[in-house]
Amino acid sequence: MIPATKSLDKITPEILLRAYSVGLFPMAESRDDPTLFWVDPHSRGMLPLDRFHLPKRLRRVLRQGKFAARVDSDFPATLDGCGEPTDRRPETWINQEIRGLYLSLHAMGHAHSVECWREGKLVGGLYGVALGGAFFGESMFSREPDASKIALAHLVARLRQGGFVLLDTQFVTEHLKRFGAIEVTRADYREKLAEALAVKARFPRELERPVEELLPPG
């Protein structure tokens, strides 16, 4: 982990993109702490796009069409949803500096949100950063059961369609293990990252085929 960088030192969106390209990502200690620090884990979480596993129950939810999935229709609200305190996550690392940086990356076309809507309300989603053939997942949230999980399935479908080769999850949690997330060493991650950055991928707003047809079978 790199020492804290105070927000007055001003991390720009361009510096943030360069950091991603060498395997770093920023965090804050809390929502109210103006200080940012760079994170460079010894072990890195990844979700192999060819081995993504959507449990049978969630495949049924996907087929039922309970949620309407949208891309980038309300990135700021998705960012704010990810920063909401919850019972399971009372503290958040998304402070105002982080928020401003990712809004700028979104305006530049590098940050995207995948959102789940129901009855006209945003009920879950996720956001992350696209660079070359790599997508760096940042955070997700749910206001209704399964909303963020379905958003993840839609993300994977779009990454596979768009030619991405790396989905970075930063860390591996028990939740992400259910979907096939793995942990690799820092050296292995940087090797895979370099390969991914050489790929020209495109983040698609619309899908050419149904989500299930774009996901790995099983």
Side-chain angles (χ1 to χ4, degrees), residues 102-119:
Y102 287 92
L103 287 175
S104 294
L105 289 188
H106 177 63
M108 295 165 64
H110 282 290
H112 300 282
S113 59
V114 180
E115 310 145 10
C116 281
W117 295 74
R118 195 167 76 84
E119 297 178 353

Side-chain angles (χ1 to χ4, degrees), residues 86-141:
T86 66
D87 291 340
R88 297 178 64 180
R89 186 184 60 189
E91 190 53 82
T92 176
W93 52 269
I94 300 176
N95 63 8
Q96 286 303 305
E97 183 79 1
I98 291 280
R99 188 177 190 276
L101 284 167
Y102 287 92
L103 287 175
S104 294
L105 289 188
H106 177 63
M108 295 165 64
H110 282 290
H112 300 282
S113 59
V114 180
E115 310 145 10
C116 281
W117 295 74
R118 195 167 76 84
E119 297 178 353
K121 295 181 180 179
L122 178 63
V123 295
L126 55 83
Y127 78 96
V129 174
L131 195 59
F135 190 88
F136 307 88
E138 281 295 320
S139 189
M140 59 174 60
F141 78 101

